[in-house]
PDB file of all heavy atoms in Angstrom:
ATOM      1  N   GLU A  25       8.050 -49.946 -18.311  1.00 87.00           N
ATOM      2  CA  GLU A  25       7.388 -48.718 -17.907  1.00 87.00           C
ATOM      3  C   GLU A  25       8.381 -47.565 -17.799  1.00 87.00           C
ATOM      4  O   GLU A  25       9.506 -47.702 -17.293  1.00 87.00           O
ATOM      5  CB  GLU A  25       6.652 -48.886 -16.581  1.00 87.00           C
ATOM      6  CG  GLU A  25       5.794 -47.777 -16.279  1.00 87.00           C
ATOM      7  CD  GLU A  25       4.982 -48.087 -15.007  1.00 87.00           C
ATOM      8  OE1 GLU A  25       4.748 -49.280 -14.671  1.00 87.00           O
ATOM      9  OE2 GLU A  25       4.618 -47.112 -14.309  1.00 87.00           O
ATOM     10  N   ARG A  26       8.066 -46.404 -18.388  1.00 84.00           N
ATOM     11  CA  ARG A  26       8.843 -45.182 -18.335  1.00 84.00           C
ATOM     12  C   ARG A  26      10.179 -45.352 -19.017  1.00 84.00           C
ATOM     13  O   ARG A  26      11.182 -44.597 -18.670  1.00 84.00           O
ATOM     14  CB  ARG A  26       9.019 -44.723 -16.922  1.00 84.00           C
ATOM     15  CG  ARG A  26       7.700 -44.322 -16.229  1.00 84.00           C
ATOM     16  CD  ARG A  26       7.879 -43.801 -14.942  1.00 84.00           C
ATOM     17  NE  ARG A  26       6.595 -43.485 -14.376  1.00 84.00           N
ATOM     18  CZ  ARG A  26       6.349 -43.122 -13.133  1.00 84.00           C
ATOM     19  NH1 ARG A  26       7.373 -42.875 -12.355  1.00 84.00           N
ATOM     20  NH2 ARG A  26       5.185 -42.860 -12.773  1.00 84.00           N
ATOM     21  N   MET A  27      10.232 -46.252 -19.996  1.00 82.00           N
ATOM     22  CA  MET A  27      11.536 -46.361 -20.657  1.00 82.00           C
ATOM     23  C   MET A  27      11.665 -45.166 -21.610  1.00 82.00           C
ATOM     24  O   MET A  27      10.708 -44.596 -21.977  1.00 82.00           O
ATOM     25  CB  MET A  27      11.555 -47.674 -21.433  1.00 82.00           C
ATOM     26  CG  MET A  27      10.650 -47.812 -22.649  1.00 82.00           C
ATOM     27  SD  MET A  27      10.818 -49.376 -23.534  1.00 82.00           S
ATOM     28  CE  MET A  27      12.223 -49.185 -24.468  1.00 82.00           C
ATOM     29  N   PRO A  28      12.925 -44.875 -22.099  1.00 82.00           N
ATOM     30  CA  PRO A  28      13.130 -43.887 -23.103  1.00 82.00           C
ATOM     31  C   PRO A  28      12.403 -44.154 -24.395  1.00 82.00           C
ATOM     32  O   PRO A  28      12.000 -45.404 -24.659  1.00 82.00           O
ATOM     33  CB  PRO A  28      14.618 -43.854 -23.289  1.00 82.00           C
ATOM     34  CG  PRO A  28      15.205 -44.583 -22.184  1.00 82.00           C
ATOM     35  CD  PRO A  28      14.116 -45.510 -21.746  1.00 82.00           C
ATOM     36  N   GLY A  29      12.198 -43.156 -25.190  1.00 80.00           N
ATOM     37  CA  GLY A  29      11.496 -43.439 -26.536  1.00 80.00           C
ATOM     38  C   GLY A  29      12.373 -44.340 -27.384  1.00 80.00           C
ATOM     39  O   GLY A  29      13.576 -44.479 -27.188  1.00 80.00           O
ATOM     40  N   LEU A  30      11.662 -44.959 -28.308  1.00 79.00           N
ATOM     41  CA  LEU A  30      12.501 -45.987 -29.138  1.00 79.00           C
ATOM     42  C   LEU A  30      13.636 -45.439 -29.892  1.00 79.00           C
ATOM     43  O   LEU A  30      14.646 -46.040 -30.008  1.00 79.00           O
ATOM     44  CB  LEU A  30      11.451 -46.597 -30.150  1.00 79.00           C
ATOM     45  CG  LEU A  30      10.575 -47.688 -29.579  1.00 79.00           C
ATOM     46  CD1 LEU A  30       9.641 -48.295 -30.647  1.00 79.00           C
ATOM     47  CD2 LEU A  30      11.342 -48.801 -28.971  1.00 79.00           C
ATOM     48  N   THR A  31      13.562 -44.222 -30.342  1.00 77.00           N
ATOM     49  CA  THR A  31      14.677 -43.636 -31.033  1.00 77.00           C
ATOM     50  C   THR A  31      15.877 -43.439 -30.197  1.00 77.00           C
ATOM     51  O   THR A  31      16.980 -43.143 -30.724  1.00 77.00           O
ATOM     52  CB  THR A  31      14.288 -42.325 -31.787  1.00 77.00           C
ATOM     53  OG1 THR A  31      13.814 -41.432 -30.825  1.00 77.00           O
ATOM     54  CG2 THR A  31      13.270 -42.513 -32.840  1.00 77.00           C
ATOM     55  N   ASP A  32      15.655 -43.388 -28.829  1.00 77.00           N
ATOM     56  CA  ASP A  32      16.781 -43.349 -27.955  1.00 77.00           C
ATOM     57  C   ASP A  32      17.496 -44.643 -27.710  1.00 77.00           C
ATOM     58  O   ASP A  32      18.555 -44.731 -27.129  1.00 77.00           O
ATOM     59  CB  ASP A  32      16.296 -42.754 -26.614  1.00 77.00           C
ATOM     60  CG  ASP A  32      15.982 -41.315 -26.599  1.00 77.00           C
ATOM     61  OD1 ASP A  32      16.617 -40.540 -27.441  1.00 77.00           O
ATOM     62  OD2 ASP A  32      15.141 -40.865 -25.876  1.00 77.00           O
ATOM     63  N   VAL A  33      16.798 -45.766 -27.970  1.00 76.00           N
ATOM     64  CA  VAL A  33      17.356 -47.067 -27.672  1.00 76.00           C
ATOM     65  C   VAL A  33      17.592 -48.000 -28.866  1.00 76.00           C
ATOM     66  O   VAL A  33      18.225 -49.000 -28.694  1.00 76.00           O
ATOM     67  CB  VAL A  33      16.411 -47.806 -26.582  1.00 76.00           C
ATOM     68  CG1 VAL A  33      16.502 -47.098 -25.345  1.00 76.00           C
ATOM     69  CG2 VAL A  33      15.025 -47.955 -27.115  1.00 76.00           C
ATOM     70  N   VAL A  34      17.051 -47.700 -30.032  1.00 78.00           N
ATOM     71  CA  VAL A  34      17.250 -48.572 -31.200  1.00 78.00           C
ATOM     72  C   VAL A  34      17.670 -47.747 -32.347  1.00 78.00           C
ATOM     73  O   VAL A  34      17.335 -46.533 -32.434  1.00 78.00           O
ATOM     74  CB  VAL A  34      15.956 -49.355 -31.571  1.00 78.00           C
ATOM     75  CG1 VAL A  34      15.572 -50.248 -30.414  1.00 78.00           C
ATOM     76  CG2 VAL A  34      14.858 -48.542 -31.998  1.00 78.00           C
ATOM     77  N   PRO A  35      18.432 -48.318 -33.338  1.00 75.00           N
ATOM     78  CA  PRO A  35      18.709 -47.603 -34.528  1.00 75.00           C
ATOM     79  C   PRO A  35      17.439 -47.269 -35.311  1.00 75.00           C
ATOM     80  O   PRO A  35      16.396 -48.016 -35.239  1.00 75.00           O
ATOM     81  CB  PRO A  35      19.591 -48.535 -35.324  1.00 75.00           C
ATOM     82  CG  PRO A  35      19.878 -49.714 -34.449  1.00 75.00           C
ATOM     83  CD  PRO A  35      18.892 -49.687 -33.349  1.00 75.00           C
ATOM     84  N   TYR A  36      17.302 -46.163 -36.044  1.00 73.00           N
ATOM     85  CA  TYR A  36      16.178 -45.852 -36.794  1.00 73.00           C
ATOM     86  C   TYR A  36      16.657 -45.214 -38.137  1.00 73.00           C
ATOM     87  O   TYR A  36      17.687 -44.734 -38.281  1.00 73.00           O
ATOM     88  CB  TYR A  36      15.249 -44.855 -36.034  1.00 73.00           C
ATOM     89  CG  TYR A  36      15.880 -43.473 -35.748  1.00 73.00           C
ATOM     90  CD1 TYR A  36      15.727 -42.477 -36.646  1.00 73.00           C
ATOM     91  CD2 TYR A  36      16.517 -43.304 -34.571  1.00 73.00           C
ATOM     92  CE1 TYR A  36      16.249 -41.220 -36.391  1.00 73.00           C
ATOM     93  CE2 TYR A  36      17.112 -42.091 -34.263  1.00 73.00           C
ATOM     94  CZ  TYR A  36      16.977 -41.035 -35.235  1.00 73.00           C
ATOM     95  OH  TYR A  36      17.541 -39.845 -34.995  1.00 73.00           O
ATOM     96  N   LEU A  37      15.718 -45.217 -39.126  1.00 75.00           N
ATOM     97  CA  LEU A  37      15.908 -44.638 -40.410  1.00 75.00           C
ATOM     98  C   LEU A  37      14.887 -43.532 -40.554  1.00 75.00           C
ATOM     99  O   LEU A  37      13.628 -43.780 -40.379  1.00 75.00           O
ATOM    100  CB  LEU A  37      15.733 -45.666 -41.528  1.00 75.00           C
ATOM    101  CG  LEU A  37      15.891 -45.210 -42.933  1.00 75.00           C
ATOM    102  CD1 LEU A  37      17.292 -44.579 -43.130  1.00 75.00           C
ATOM    103  CD2 LEU A  37      15.534 -46.273 -43.913  1.00 75.00           C
ATOM    104  N   HIS A  38      15.262 -42.316 -40.835  1.00 74.00           N
ATOM    105  CA  HIS A  38      14.309 -41.184 -40.914  1.00 74.00           C
ATOM    106  C   HIS A  38      14.449 -40.584 -42.304  1.00 74.00           C
ATOM    107  O   HIS A  38      15.505 -40.096 -42.642  1.00 74.00           O
ATOM    108  CB  HIS A  38      14.680 -40.169 -39.893  1.00 74.00           C
ATOM    109  CG  HIS A  38      13.784 -39.042 -39.728  1.00 74.00           C
ATOM    110  ND1 HIS A  38      14.027 -37.925 -39.011  1.00 74.00           N
ATOM    111  CD2 HIS A  38      12.599 -38.723 -40.399  1.00 74.00           C
ATOM    112  CE1 HIS A  38      13.104 -37.066 -39.124  1.00 74.00           C
ATOM    113  NE2 HIS A  38      12.220 -37.513 -39.980  1.00 74.00           N
ATOM    114  N   LEU A  39      13.333 -40.655 -43.090  1.00 78.00           N
ATOM    115  CA  LEU A  39      13.439 -40.124 -44.449  1.00 78.00           C
ATOM    116  C   LEU A  39      12.349 -38.972 -44.642  1.00 78.00           C
ATOM    117  O   LEU A  39      11.402 -38.953 -43.899  1.00 78.00           O
ATOM    118  CB  LEU A  39      13.007 -41.268 -45.444  1.00 78.00           C
ATOM    119  CG  LEU A  39      13.851 -42.512 -45.348  1.00 78.00           C
ATOM    120  CD1 LEU A  39      13.276 -43.672 -46.215  1.00 78.00           C
ATOM    121  CD2 LEU A  39      15.308 -42.250 -45.786  1.00 78.00           C
ATOM    122  N   SER A  40      12.629 -38.133 -45.572  1.00 82.00           N
ATOM    123  CA  SER A  40      11.716 -37.014 -45.848  1.00 82.00           C
ATOM    124  C   SER A  40      11.800 -36.584 -47.314  1.00 82.00           C
ATOM    125  O   SER A  40      12.813 -36.834 -47.905  1.00 82.00           O
ATOM    126  CB  SER A  40      11.928 -35.855 -44.954  1.00 82.00           C
ATOM    127  OG  SER A  40      11.166 -34.811 -45.249  1.00 82.00           O
TER     128      SER A  40
END
Side-chain angles (χ1 to χ4, degrees):
E25 188 175 334
R26 298 185 182 175
M27 71 180 279
L30 283 179
T31 57
D32 288 330
V33 294
V34 299
Y36 64 91
L37 178 63
H38 183 187
L39 305 172
S40 176

